[in-house]
C-alpha cells in the first residue's frame, strides 16, 4: 500500500515529521517497507535560465547555451551544449551540474567536450528526471520560476512516497484514511472529518431527478448489496493535476478522469468503485452467478472463463464485470463517454477469495473486497464518487438505486480491561484503554461492551482488543517476564528417537561420512528407479521435484554425481531423514560410497574402489550406534532392486524384521544417476529397530574369568553355496558353555579343494570356567564342533 | 707356569680379534667346549695332589673366568654393533605421507537443531515432531486459516491430488510451517506444555533466500497465566544463548498471523562490521521470526478452555539461524550436498553442543 506523506496529511492533522510517522507506522503494525523521496533523487537539479543560445560551430542541431544557474552558482554563467529544439534565450528550465546523477538516463554528468565545445552540465527533459515520458525538448518552467532554487522543492516533488505492508487482517488500512486513523489513534494528530477532506457539505448522496438506474442483485450471497447512481452529460478528459500527481507518485498511470476517480477513491478510502459507459449497456445491470463456461474479456486484455460459483455483473447482453475483481473491457469508459453508471457494491469476501484463487487473478479491487470493505460506507462511496465525477466531468446525477442490503450487524465484544495485563503482559489503565479503542472507532459502553467498527471485520474477541490496545500503547513497553523455572537442574528432554538420531548422526560423521540434506521430493524417473513413490505432488515446482522419495538414495546419488562432476575423487555421504511411504513417514539413514575408497598411494599401490563389505561395515556400525542388537542380526538376501543382486543383503532380526539393506548398487542404477564404477550404498530403517528396554544405570557385576582362554583352529570343506555365517553360527553353538566366540579367518578355494567346495577356517576361543582343559576335554570339544559343522555338510580338512 | 699365562694371553687375543659372533662361538668351543683347552686344564685338577690343586686351582679357574668374561664382552659388543647396523638400515623417510583417514562432518542444520534443543531443554522445552505430509485441517483450519482466508495466499502450498471422496479437511499437503505440531501437541498433552518442534517445511518458492524445502522450529507454551511478556523473555533468552552474545536486542512489531492474537514479528538488531551485518546492537533491524499469543480459537479447537489457559507460539527458520550465526549467504547450497561446502560449514562429530561447553562451534 503506497501513498505520499502529503497525501496522508490530507486526512491527518499532524505536526509529526516523516521520521516520526514512519517509526510510528512500524511500531503499530503497519510495517514500512520503503520510503522514496523524488526530491532526494533530484536534489542536485536547480532552476536555471538560458541567457544566450548560439549555433554550435561544428553541428547544425546543437546550440551552445550560456545558463544562469543562480547567483550562488560558482563561476557565474555556465556554458552548456544542448540539442533540444526548444532551447532558446529566456527559457527557464532545469539544470544539472557536473556530478549530478540523471535518473532517467542512468548517467552521471561530467564536464565534456561535445564536438569541440566544452559543456559544463545539462538542461534536462521531463523523461530525464523521470517525471514523465516527454522527451521532445527540455523542461520549460514558468518565466517567474526562481532561478537558482532547488527544482524538486519548488515543483512540489518533495513528497516522500511511503510503502506500507498491510497484513491481511487490516481491511481498513487498504486506504490512506485508515492509515491516518491508526496514526491518530497512536497520538500522532487528529483525523480530519471526511467531508472536510473532500470539501463536501454533506456525505449523503445528492439524488438528481433522473430516474435511478435499473440495477439489482440476484446473488445476495456473493453480492449482498449493489448501489448505483448514473450521471449523464459528462465529459471524460484528463484528470486534474492534483489527482494525476498523487497517482503518479505511487506508480499508477493516469488514464482518464473517470477511471482515475475510481482508482483514487480505492486508494484514498479503500473503497473500490466501477464506472460503466451506459451507452454500451443494454437493459438492467444485474449481480448474478455466472453461467458455467461464460466468458468475459477483462480490462487486463485477458479472457476469463467463469463458473457458477462466481459472481458477475451483467446486463441483458453480456457479462461486464467479474464482480469485485475486474471490470470488462467492453463496457469501460472512453473519451467519448457521456453517460455513466457508478457501481458501489458489497461483495462477500469469501466469494471474492475463491473466485480470485480459481481465476488466478489479482487486482486492487480483489485485495480490498477479499479483506472486506466497510459495509456501512456504500452511501458515502456513491456520494463521493458522484461528487468527484460531477465536479471534474460535469453532468447531472440521477437518483440512487440501493439494491440489496449490506451486512451491517455490529459485533459487540464483552471485554475485561484486566485481560490486557493477563494476556498482553502490559498494564494499561482502563481509561487509557477506553481512549485508545475509541480513537480507533470502537464504541465502549460503561460496562465494557465494546462495539466493533464496521471497518474492522477482523476483530471479534477480547484477544483482538488486547492486540489493539497493546499495539497502540506500545508493544515495546511490554516488560520481559521470565517463565517460571522448575526446581533443580534442567531435565533431559530428548525422546528415545532423538537420542538414536543424534548417536547415529555423530557416529556416521566420526566414521568419515559427510552429512547431506537433500530434497525430499525427487523426479518420477528417480522414484521409479527406486521402487516408485507413494506421494506425487499435484503442483510441483518442477518435474525434478515431484514425488516424495521412497528411498534416501535418490538425493544422495544425485549429490554424489554432482560431486564427482566437480572433480571429487571419493564421496562418502549420509543423510538422516524420512522416506515417505503410503502408510507412514519412516525415519531412515542412507549412505552412499562412491569413487576411490583409498587413493593411489606410495604404500598401498593403486586406488582401491569401495566394495560391498564397506557397505556392510557402515551398516553394522550405524545399526550398533542406533542400539540394534547387531550380534543377533542375520545376513539375508532380498535387498531391493536398487542393488547388485549378488552383492547385496538385508540385515534382519528374525525372518521378517528388516533393519537395513546394503551392498553394491545395481550397475543400471549407477548409470541412471550418471555415476561410474562400483557405488556402494545402504539404508538403515530406524523405526524397525526394537526399542531398548530401559534399565537402570548400574552395570552387571564385573566377573572376569579366572582361567586363560584357549584357541583352536578348524578348517572345513563346505559346499560353495553354504553361507559362511551359518557355519560360524553352528560352530559357536556346538558347546555354548565352553565356546566364547568363533571367528572366520580364512576362505580358500583352489589346489586341494574339490570343485563346488570351499575351505573355511574358523578360530574358536574356549573359555574354561572351573578347571584347566585336559586333552580329553579338547578332543570331546573338537568332536562336537565337527559334528555341528557336519550337519551343514561341512567336513574337517585333514 | 707360563703356559697358563701364555694360554690366557693367546685366548684373550683371539677372542678380542673375533670379527663375528660365529668366530666368538668357535673360540668358546675351542677354549671352553668339551674338548676345549681350558676345559682340558680344568680336568687336570682331578689328578693333582691337594698341594698342587691349591696352587694350580685358582690359576686355572682364573683363566676360565677371564676367558668366559672376554667371550661375553665380545659377544655383547658384536651384538650391539649388529643392532646398530640393523637399525641404521631400517631408517625410513617419515616425511612420507601417512595413510589418510576420511574426515566426516555434521550438517549445519543438524548442528543448529542440536544447539536449539540444548538451549530450550534448559528452559524446560521438550522436542516434539509431526508429519510432513499433513492434512488441511492441521495445517490451516485448526490454525484459524479457513479456505478463503487471504493468509492462505501467503503460503504457497504444495498439494497432493485430492482423493475426491474425502472432504477438503482431509486433503493432504506438505506442511507449510511447523505450526501443525502445536495442534497435535495440544490435542495429545495436557498443559502445562512447553515444546519446540523442529522440522522440514515446504513452500512453493525458490530464490537465493527461499528454497521449496527448508527447516523451521516452532515453540509453544501453554499454561495458566502466560502472557506476551513471557514470550518476549523467552525469545530474548533463547537468542542471547544461541548467538552467544549479551548485546542481542529484540524489537517486537505488531503483526498478523491467523493463529495468534496478539501477534508480533520479531526483529533483531545488528551492527555493521566489515561490511557484514552482525547480530548484536541496534544499528539496524532484520526480521527474524513470527510469534504471538495462541489464538483463543486455536486453543478451543484443541479442546482446551481459552479462559483458563493461554500461551504463546513462535516460529523461526533454522536455516536462517544457521546462516546468521555461521555466515552462509546462499540457502540453496544447504541442500546440494557439495562436499566442499559440507566440509567448510559442517561440524566435527565431537562438536556436540552442551551448555557447559558452549552451544557454538
Amino acid at each position: 500500500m503506497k501513498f505520499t506523506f502529503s497525501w496522508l496529511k490530507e486526512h491527518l492533522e499532524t505536526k509529526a515529521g516523516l521520521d516520526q510517522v514512519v517509526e510510528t507506522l512500524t511500531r503499530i503494525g503497519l510495517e514500512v517497507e520503503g520510503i522514496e523521496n523524488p526530491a532526494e533523487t533530484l536534489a542536485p537539479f536547480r532552476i536555471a535560465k538560458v541567457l544566450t543560445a548560439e549555433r554550435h560551430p561544428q553541428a547544425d542541431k546543437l546550440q551552445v547555451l550560456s545558463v544562469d544557474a543562480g547567483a550562488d552558482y560558482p563561476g557565474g554563467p555556465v556554458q552548456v551544449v544542448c540539442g533540444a529544439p526548444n532551447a532558446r534565450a529566456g527559457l527557464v528550465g532545469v539544470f544539472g551540474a557536473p556530478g549530478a546523477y540523471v535518473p532517467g538516463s542512468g548517467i552521471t554528468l561530467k564536464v565534456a567536450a561535445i564536438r569541440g565545445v566544452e559543456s559544463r552540465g545539462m538542461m534536462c527533459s521531463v523523461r530525464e528526471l523521470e517525471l514523465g515520458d516527454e522527451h521532445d525538448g527540455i523542461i520549460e518552467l514558468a518565466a517567474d520560476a526562481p532561478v537558482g532554487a532547488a527544482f524538486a522543492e519548488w515543483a512540489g516533488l518533495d513528497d516522500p512516497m511511503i510503502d506500507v505492508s498491510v497484513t491481511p487482517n487490516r481491511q481498513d488500512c487498504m486506504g490512506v484514511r485508515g492509515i491516518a486513523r491508526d496514526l491518530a489513534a497512536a497520538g500522532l494528530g487528529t483525523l480530519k472529518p471526511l467531508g472536510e477532506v473532500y470539501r463536501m457539505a454533506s456525505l449523503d448522496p445528492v439524488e438528481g431527478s433522473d430516474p435511478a438506474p435499473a440495477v439489482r442483485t440476484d446473488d445476495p450471497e456473493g453480492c449482498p448489496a449493489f448501489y448505483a447512481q448514473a450521471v449523464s452529460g459528462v465529459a471524460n478528459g484528463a484528470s486534474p493535476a492534483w489527482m494525476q500527481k498523487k497517482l503518479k507518485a505511487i506508480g499508477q498511470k493516469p488514464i482518464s478522469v473517470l477511471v482515475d476517480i475510481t482508482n483514487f477513491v480505492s486508494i484514498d478510502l479503500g473503497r473500490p468503485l466501477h464506472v460503466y459507459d451506459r451507452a454500451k449497456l443494454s437493459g438492467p445491470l444485474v449481480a448474478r452467478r455466472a453461467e458455467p463456461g461464460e466468458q468475459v474479456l477483462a480490462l487486463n486484455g485477458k479472457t476469463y472463463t467463469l463458473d457458477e460459483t462466481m459472481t458477475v455483473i451483467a446486463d441483458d447482453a453480456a457479462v461486464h464485470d467479474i464482480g469485485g475483481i475486474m471490470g470488462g473491457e467492453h463496457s469501460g469508459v472512453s473519451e467519448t463517454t457521456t453517460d455513466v453508471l457508478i457501481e458501489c457494491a458489497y461483495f462477500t469476501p469469501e466469494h471474492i477469495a475463491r473466485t480470485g484463487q480459481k481465476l488466478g487473478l489479482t487486482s486492487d479491487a480483489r485485495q480490498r473486497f477479499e479483506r472486506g470493505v466497510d459495509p456501512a460506507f456504500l452511501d458515502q462511496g456513491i456520494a463521493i464518487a458522484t461528487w468527484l465525477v460531477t465536479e471534474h466531468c460535469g453532468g447531472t446525477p440521477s437518483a440512487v438505486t440501493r439494491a440489496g442490503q449490506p451486512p451491517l450487524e455490529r459485533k459487540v465484544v464483552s471485554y475485561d480491561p484486566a485481560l490486557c495485563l493477563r494476556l498482553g503482559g502490559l498494564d494499561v489503565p482502563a481509561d487509557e484503554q477506553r481512549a485508545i479503542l475509541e480513537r480507533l472507532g470502537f464504541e465502549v459502553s460503561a460496562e465494557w461492551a465494546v462495539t466493533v467498527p464496521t471497518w474492522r471485520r477482523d476483530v471479534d474477541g477480547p484477544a483482538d482488543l488486547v492486540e489493539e490496545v497493546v499495539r497502540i500503547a506500545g508493544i515495546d513497553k511490554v516488560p520481559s517476564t521470565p517463565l517460571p523455572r522448575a526446581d533443580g537442574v534442567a531435565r533431559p528432554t530428548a525422546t528415545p528417537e532423538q537420542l538414536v538420531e543424534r548417536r547415529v548422526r555423530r557416529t556416521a560423521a566420526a566414521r568419515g561420512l559427510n552429512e547431506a540434506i537433500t530434497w525430499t521430493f525427487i523426479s518420477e524417473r528417480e522414484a521409479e528407479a527406486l521402487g516408485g513413490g507413494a506421494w506425487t505432488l499435484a503442483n510441483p515446482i518442477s518435474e525434478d521435484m515431484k514425488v516424495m522419495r521412497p528411498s534416501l538414495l535418490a538425493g544422495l546419488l544425485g549429490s554424489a554425481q554432482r560431486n564427482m562432476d566437480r572433480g571429487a575423487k571419493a564421496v562418502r555421504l549420509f543423510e538422516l531423514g524420512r522416506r515417505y511411504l503410503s502408510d507412514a513417514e519412516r525415519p531412515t539413514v542412507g549412505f552412499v560410497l562412491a569413487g576411490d575408497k583409498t587413493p593411489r598411494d606410495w604404500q598401498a599401490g593403486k586406488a582401491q574402489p569401495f566394495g560391498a563389505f564397506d557397505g556392510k561395515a557402515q551398516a553394522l556400525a550405524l545399526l550398533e550406534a542406533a542400539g540394534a542388537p547387531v550380534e543377533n542380526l542375520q545376513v539375508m538376501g532380498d535387498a531391493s532392486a536398487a542393488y547388485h543382486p549378488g552383492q547385496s543383503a538385508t540385515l534382519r532380526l528374525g525372518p521378517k524384521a528388516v533393519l537395513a539393506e546394503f551392498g553394491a548398487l545395481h550397475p543400471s542404477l549407477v548409470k541412471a544417476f550418471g555415476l561410474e564404477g562400483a557405488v556402494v550404498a545402504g539404508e538403515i530403517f530406524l523405526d524397525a529397530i526394537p526399542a531398548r528396554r530401559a534399565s537402570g544405570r548400574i552395570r552387571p557385576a564385573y566377573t572376569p574369568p579366572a582361567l586363560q582362554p584357549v584357541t583352536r583352529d578348524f578348517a572345513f570343506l563346505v559346499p560353495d553355496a553354504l553361507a559362511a555365517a551359518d557355519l560360524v553360527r553352528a560352530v559357536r553353538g556346538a558347546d555354548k558353555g565352553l565356546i566364547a566366540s568363533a571367528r572366520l579367518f580364512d576362505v580358500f578355494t583352489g589346489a586341494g579343494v574339490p570343485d563346488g567346495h570351499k575351505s573355511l577356517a574358523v578360530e574358536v576361543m574356549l573359555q574354561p570356567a572351573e578347571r584347566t582343559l585336559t586333552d580329553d576335554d579338547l578332543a570331546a570339544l573338537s568332536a562336537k564342533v565337527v559334528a555341528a559343522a557336519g550337519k551343514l555338510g561341512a567336513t574337517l580338512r585333514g | 707356569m707360563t703356559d697358563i699365562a701364555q694360554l690366557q694371553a693367546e685366548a684373550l687375543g683371539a677372542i678380542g680379534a673375533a670379527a663375528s659372533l660365529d668366530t666368538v662361538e668357535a673360540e668358546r668351543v675351542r677354549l671352553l667346549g668339551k674338548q676345549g683347552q681350558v676345559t682340558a686344564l680344568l680336568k687336570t685338577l682331578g689328578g693333582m695332589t691337594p698341594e698342587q690343586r691349591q696352587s694350580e686351582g685358582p690359576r686355572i679357574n682364573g683363566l676360565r673366568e677371564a676367558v668366559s668374561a672376554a667371550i661375553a664382552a665380545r659377544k655383547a659388543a658384536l651384538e650391539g654393533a649388529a643392532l646398530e647396523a640393523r637399525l641404521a638400515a631400517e631408517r625410513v623417510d617419515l616425511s612420507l605421507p601417512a595413510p589418510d583417514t576420511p574426515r566426516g562432518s555434521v550438517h549445519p542444520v543438524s548442528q543448529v537443531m542440536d544447539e536449539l534443543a540444548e538451549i530450550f531443554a534448559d528452559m524446560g522445552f521438550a522436542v516434539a515432531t509431526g508429519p510432513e505430509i499433513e492434512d488441511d485441517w492441521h495445517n490451516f483450519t485448526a490454525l484459524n486459516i479457513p479456505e478463503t482466508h487471504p493468509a492462505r495466499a501467503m503460503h504457497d502450498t504444495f498439494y497432493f491430488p485430492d482423493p475426491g471422496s474425502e472432504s477438503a479437511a482431509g486433503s493432504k499437503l506438505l506442511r507449510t510451517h511447523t505450526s501443525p505440531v502445536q495442534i497435535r501437541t495440544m490435542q495429545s498433552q495436557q498443559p502445562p506444555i512447553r515444546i519446540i518442534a523442529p522440522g522440514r517445511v515446504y513452500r512453493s518458492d525458490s530464490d537465493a533466500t527461499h528454497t521449496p524445502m527448508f527447516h523451521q522450529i516452532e515453540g509453544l507454551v501453554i499454561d495458566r497465566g502466560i502472557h506476551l511478556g513471557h514470550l518476549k523473555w523467552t525469545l530474548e533468552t533463547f537468542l542471547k544463548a544461541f548467538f552467544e552474545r549479551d548485546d542481542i536486542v529484540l524489537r517486537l512489531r505488531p503483526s498478523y498471523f491467523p493463529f495468534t492474537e496478539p501477534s508480533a514479528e520479531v526483529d533483531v538488531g545488528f551492527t555493521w562490521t566489515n561490511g557484514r551485518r552482525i547480530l548484536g546492537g541496534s544499528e539496524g533491524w532484520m526480521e527474524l521470526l513470527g510469534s504471538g499469543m495462541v489464538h483463543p480459537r486455536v486453543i478451543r479447537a484443541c479442546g482446551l478452555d481459552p479462559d483458563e489457559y493461554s500461551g504463546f507460539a513462535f516460529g523461526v527458520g533454522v536455516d536462517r539461524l544457521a546462516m546468521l550465526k555461521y555466515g552462509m549467504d546462499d540457502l540453496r547450497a544447504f541442500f546440494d550436498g557439495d562436499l566442499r561446502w559440507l566440509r567448510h560449514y559442517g561440524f566435527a562429530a565431537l562438536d556436540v553442543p552442551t551448555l557447559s561447553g558452549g552451544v557454538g562451534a
Side-chain angles (χ1 to χ4, degrees):
Chain A
M1 172 73 199
K2 294 174 176 170
F3 54 92
T4 67
F5 192 34
S6 71
W7 192 341
L8 176 71
K9 287 202 278 197
E10 284 178 20
H11 291 281
L12 183 68
E13 187 75 56
T14 184
K15 292 196 174 65
L18 177 69
D19 289 350
Q20 197 186 350
V21 164
V22 165
E23 185 263 326
T24 307
L25 283 169
T26 295
R27 188 170 59 78
I28 62 177
L30 297 165
E31 186 188 2
V32 175
E33 295 209 307
I35 308 160
E36 264 175 50
N37 189 352
E40 280 171 20
T41 325
L42 299 180
F45 296 90
R46 48 167 70 201
I47 298 170
K49 185 173 186 174
V50 179
L51 300 174
T52 61
E54 306 289 342
R55 274 271 304 278
H56 189 292
Q58 308 292 333
D60 286 349
K61 290 191 173 166
L62 296 179
Q63 297 187 81
V64 181
L65 313 180
S66 172
V67 173
D68 174 8
D72 61 336
Y73 194 80
V78 198
Q79 176 170 298
V80 173
V81 176
C82 179
N86 63 336
R88 61 185 186 278
L91 179 146
V92 178
V94 182
F95 170 73
Y101 177 78
V102 184
S105 54
I107 57 162
T108 301
L109 297 174
K110 55 189 178 199
V111 179
I114 299 175
R115 294 272 184 110
V117 177
E118 192 175 67
S119 182
R120 307 185 65 87
M122 184 166 91
M123 295 298 287
C124 305
S125 74
V126 167
R127 193 167 79 191
E128 280 159 347
L129 299 188
E130 283 191 322
L131 298 171
D133 290 334
E134 295 134 69
H135 194 53
D136 300 334
I138 54 177
I139 297 171
E140 290 191 45
L141 304 176
D144 59 354
V147 171
F151 163 68
E153 265 170 54
W154 175 84
L157 297 171
D158 190 6
D159 188 10
M161 190 275 288
I162 304 168
D163 187 0
V164 164
S165 155
V166 179
T167 51
N169 57 325
R170 293 304 300 274
Q171 58 176 131
D172 57 321
C173 289
M174 290 304 284
V176 178
R177 187 166 181 81
I179 291 172
R181 186 190 296 114
D182 246 33
L183 285 168
L188 240 60
T190 49
L191 188 68
K192 293 183 193 172
L194 189 55
E196 188 184 305
V197 175
Y198 277 86
R199 296 178 193 86
M200 290 165 73
S202 155
L203 287 168
D204 295 328
V206 174
E207 306 221 20
S209 50
D210 288 353
V215 303
R216 65 170 197 275
T217 173
D218 289 351
D219 177 19
E221 202 189 320
C223 176
F226 185 176
Y227 287 18
Q229 188 167 22
V231 183
S232 55
V234 301
N236 188 19
S239 53
W242 63 264
M243 195 181 282
Q244 293 205 17
K245 196 176 139 193
K246 282 190 168 64
L247 293 174
K248 278 191 206 168
I250 60 163
Q252 290 214 0
K253 197 174 172 184
I255 293 163
S256 70
V257 59
L258 287 169
V259 175
D260 293 355
I261 285 170
T262 62
N263 288 338
F264 173 75
V265 172
S266 177
I267 294 156
D268 195 48
L269 303 172
R271 172 67 248 189
L273 300 163
H274 192 62
V275 179
Y276 300 86
D277 186 339
R278 287 192 90 180
K280 294 172 187 165
L281 300 177
S282 63
L285 212 46
V286 181
R288 62 163 170 83
R289 292 297 173 93
E291 304 290 338
E294 209 167 9
Q295 290 192 322
V296 61
L297 175 63
L299 277 170
N300 62 2
K302 289 183 187 160
T303 300
Y304 291 90
T305 304
L306 312 169
D307 70 30
E308 70 284 1
T309 64
M310 302 172 181
T311 304
V312 295
I313 310 289
D315 65 3
D316 291 346
V319 171
H320 291 294
D321 188 74
I322 307 170
I325 297 181
M326 194 170 278
E329 179 69 40
H330 176 68
S331 58
V333 292
S334 68
E335 286 182 7
T336 59
T337 299
T338 57
D339 294 343
V340 295
L341 184 148
I342 302 168
E343 165 202 307
C344 182
Y346 184 88
F347 294 98
T348 305
E350 290 75 15
H351 278 250
I352 295 288
R354 231 173 268 134
T355 302
Q357 282 167 13
K358 271 191 191 169
L359 295 177
L361 179 57
T362 48
S363 67
D364 285 348
R366 174 185 165 187
Q367 284 183 351
R368 287 168 174 80
F369 280 121
E370 184 173 60
R371 289 163 199 246
V373 300
D374 183 355
F377 198 75
L378 270 63
D379 259 335
Q380 286 102 313
I382 277 285
I384 287 169
T386 301
W387 157 256
L388 288 173
V389 169
T390 53
E391 183 77 354
H392 298 289
C393 311
T396 315
S398 71
V400 174
T401 309
R402 295 178 180 84
Q405 183 60 243
L408 286 170
E409 319 76 59
R410 303 287 297 275
K411 277 181 286 189
V412 179
V413 177
S414 145
Y415 181 64
D416 172 5
L419 189 63
C420 186
L421 178 59
R422 220 160 59 228
L423 188 66
L426 188 62
D427 196 1
V428 182
D431 286 353
E432 201 182 321
Q433 294 195 43
R434 179 186 296 270
I436 287 170
L437 291 171
E438 285 175 350
R439 287 205 297 273
L440 288 167
F442 293 84
E443 290 152 33
V444 185
S445 78
E447 295 76 35
W448 287 95
V450 179
T451 306
V452 178
T454 49
W455 57 85
R456 289 301 299 271
R457 63 190 288 269
D458 60 307
V459 173
D460 62 2
D464 300 288
L465 298 179
V466 170
E467 174 167 82
E468 293 304 302
V469 171
V470 169
R471 77 182 175 90
I472 298 296
I475 200 168
D476 49 325
K477 297 201 179 92
V478 174
S480 277
T481 313
L483 282 175
R485 196 183 163 96
D487 278 344
V489 298
R491 307 262 170 80
T493 56
T495 61
E497 293 80 20
Q498 286 149 15
L499 290 175
V500 163
E501 286 190 7
R502 287 183 196 173
R503 260 196 309 264
V504 167
R505 171 178 294 118
R506 291 186 185 273
T507 299
R511 294 179 57 83
L513 302 178
N514 298 100
E515 185 184 15
I517 295 178
T518 68
W519 306 118
T520 50
F521 19 49
I522 61 179
S523 72
E524 264 177 327
R525 187 182 60 81
E526 290 169 329
E528 280 313 314
L530 292 163
W535 297 91
T536 303
L537 287 170
N539 58 337
I541 202 162
S542 79
E543 285 298 309
D544 288 340
M545 302 173 144
K546 191 172 183 181
V547 182
M548 299 310 289
R549 61 185 181 196
S551 154
L552 266 56
L553 297 187
L556 290 170
L557 288 171
S559 289
Q561 175 258 320
R562 287 191 298 277
N563 277 298
M564 293 305 244
D565 285 357
R566 283 187 285 251
K569 292 268 189 258
V571 174
R572 295 172 172 85
L573 286 171
F574 80 101
E575 178 168 7
L576 228 160
R578 301 179 183 183
R579 291 175 299 134
Y580 304 83
L581 306 189
S582 57
D583 60 336
E585 298 170 24
R586 304 203 171 270
T588 307
V589 190
F591 65 86
V592 162
L593 310 171
D596 296 343
K597 178 188 179 186
T598 53
R600 57 185 175 164
D601 183 75
W602 65 276
Q603 278 181 295
K606 275 195 233 168
Q608 296 299 313
F610 288 103
F613 286 96
D614 296 310
K616 183 177 182 182
Q618 296 291 9
L620 286 172
L622 297 178
L623 279 167
E624 184 168 22
V630 284
E631 64 282 1
N632 298 336
L633 293 181
Q634 282 172 269
V635 180
M636 295 174 78
D638 293 332
S640 75
Y643 294 92
H644 185 310
Q647 295 183 12
S648 62
T650 51
L651 289 167
R652 304 186 188 212
L653 200 56
K656 288 221 178 106
V658 178
L659 270 51
E661 59 179 24
F662 67 88
L665 286 177
H666 198 289
S668 57
L669 187 78
V670 171
K671 196 173 159 204
F673 277 90
L675 287 159
E676 284 172 2
V679 177
V680 170
E683 280 185 290
I684 317 295
F685 310 122
L686 293 176
D687 58 344
I689 300 172
R692 277 214 273 207
R693 247 174 294 142
S695 54
R697 296 294 192 207
I698 300 274
R699 311 284 171 95
Y702 177 58
T703 52
L707 297 167
Q708 288 275 10
V710 177
T711 58
R712 283 290 178 275
D713 293 347
F714 296 87
F716 293 103
L717 273 180
V718 302
D720 252 345
L722 183 70
D726 292 347
L727 178 74
V728 173
R729 192 177 310 108
V731 167
R732 193 172 51 199
D735 185 339
K736 289 196 174 109
L738 197 52
I739 299 178
S741 69
R743 189 176 73 86
L744 185 128
F745 67 92
D746 192 34
V747 181
F748 177 71
T749 51
V753 176
D755 277 354
H757 285 71
K758 58 189 172 185
S759 162
L760 300 177
V762 181
E763 174 190 85
V764 177
M765 191 170 87
L766 308 171
Q767 179 58 63
E770 280 146 25
R771 58 180 175 79
T772 310
L773 297 177
T774 63
D775 287 349
D776 286 349
D777 293 336
L778 291 172
L781 185 272
S782 289
K784 280 188 198 169
V785 167
V786 171
K791 284 185 190 156
L792 299 174
T795 53
L796 194 66
R797 281 185 87 190
Chain B
M1 300 293 270
T2 51
D3 53 336
I4 287 182
Q6 239 174 21
L7 181 59
Q8 182 163 339
E10 179 267 326
L12 294 188
I15 291 166
S20 71
L21 286 169
D22 289 346
T23 320
V24 176
E25 179 62 10
E27 285 303 316
R28 188 192 66 79
V29 172
R30 182 176 71 81
L31 297 165
L32 300 176
K34 279 186 180 168
Q35 313 295 327
Q37 291 177 286
V38 179
T39 312
L41 279 174
L42 283 167
K43 283 181 183 160
T44 61
L45 286 175
M48 289 182 190
T49 62
E51 293 76 28
Q52 274 180 311
R53 203 178 296 144
Q54 204 150 25
S55 69
E56 288 304 304
R59 291 183 64 212
I60 294 172
N61 275 320
L63 171 66
R64 192 196 59 171
E65 276 162 29
V67 168
S68 294
I71 286 173
R74 187 62 193 151
K75 214 170 153 182
L78 283 171
E79 274 171 356
L83 183 62
E84 252 172 57
R86 200 185 93 215
L87 293 183
E90 282 174 359
R91 206 185 74 82
V92 295
D93 176 6
L94 283 173
S95 70
L96 284 165
D100 235 359
T101 310
R103 214 165 313 158
S105 58
V106 170
H107 196 283
V109 167
S110 306
Q111 182 76 10
V112 164
M113 284 194 180
D114 281 357
E115 293 179 7
L116 295 172
E118 196 66 12
I119 292 167
F120 278 104
D122 189 56
M123 293 197 274
F125 287 66
V127 179
T129 56
E132 291 165 27
I133 297 173
E134 256 301 357
D135 56 48
D136 191 274
W137 190 83
H138 283 93
N139 196 72
F140 287 127
T141 311
L143 288 159
N144 198 27
I145 317 175
E147 197 183 334
T148 54
H149 200 288
R152 283 212 180 185
M154 304 195 304
H155 295 232
D156 304 305
T157 311
F158 286 115
Y159 289 97
F160 294 102
D162 209 334
S165 57
E166 286 183 56
S167 66
S171 71
K172 295 282 192 172
L173 45 82
L174 284 176
R175 65 178 178 191
T176 57
H177 46 183
T178 40
S179 306
V181 184
Q182 284 183 31
I183 304 299
R184 293 181 178 276
T185 306
M186 278 190 268
Q187 285 183 316
S188 61
Q189 288 178 31
Q190 283 304 306
I193 292 171
R194 283 188 200 185
I195 55 135
I196 52 167
R200 286 180 196 184
V201 299
Y202 301 86
R203 290 187 201 178
S204 182
D205 205 350
S206 188
D207 60 40
T209 53
H210 298 89
T211 48
M213 176 187 95
F214 57 105
H215 297 82
Q216 264 193 352
I217 186 161
E218 188 86 3
L220 174 72
V221 170
I222 300 284
D223 203 348
R224 293 186 178 88
I226 297 295
H227 58 67
L228 206 54
H230 294 115
L231 168 64
K232 206 171 179 176
W233 176 85
T234 303
L235 293 175
E236 280 169 0
T237 306
F238 141 57
L239 290 170
K240 282 179 184 174
F242 177 74
F243 289 109
E244 302 173 291
R245 297 181 68 126
D246 287 330
D247 63 347
I248 294 288
V249 189
L250 297 191
R251 179 176 78 171
L252 267 60
R253 257 186 307 110
S255 188
Y256 171 71
F257 304 103
F259 40 99
T260 51
E261 190 77 44
S263 302
E265 292 229 53
V266 180
D267 298 338
V268 61
F270 64 82
T271 37
W272 288 102
T273 309
N274 301 328
R276 276 190 100 108
R277 296 192 293 182
I278 301 294
L279 294 198
S282 55
E283 282 179 19
W285 299 99
M286 68 172 94
E287 208 171 297
L288 187 65
L289 56 85
S291 66
M293 303 305 297
V294 180
H295 200 292
R297 231 175 279 159
V298 174
I299 293 185
R300 201 174 295 120
C302 295
L304 298 172
D305 178 2
D307 289 330
E308 187 179 357
Y309 291 107
S310 58
F312 64 77
F314 60 88
V316 56
V318 176
D319 322 83
R320 189 162 153 69
L321 286 175
M323 289 168 91
L324 289 171
K325 184 167 179 175
Y326 293 109
M328 306 83 164
D329 51 13
D330 189 347
L331 180 58
R332 287 171 295 198
F334 277 62
F335 309 118
D336 187 56
D338 185 339
L339 285 167
R340 299 167 303 178
W341 189 94
L342 295 175
R343 291 187 181 117
H344 184 83
Y345 287 113
F347 294 82
L350 292 179
D351 285 341
V352 182
T354 61
L355 285 182
S356 64
V359 290

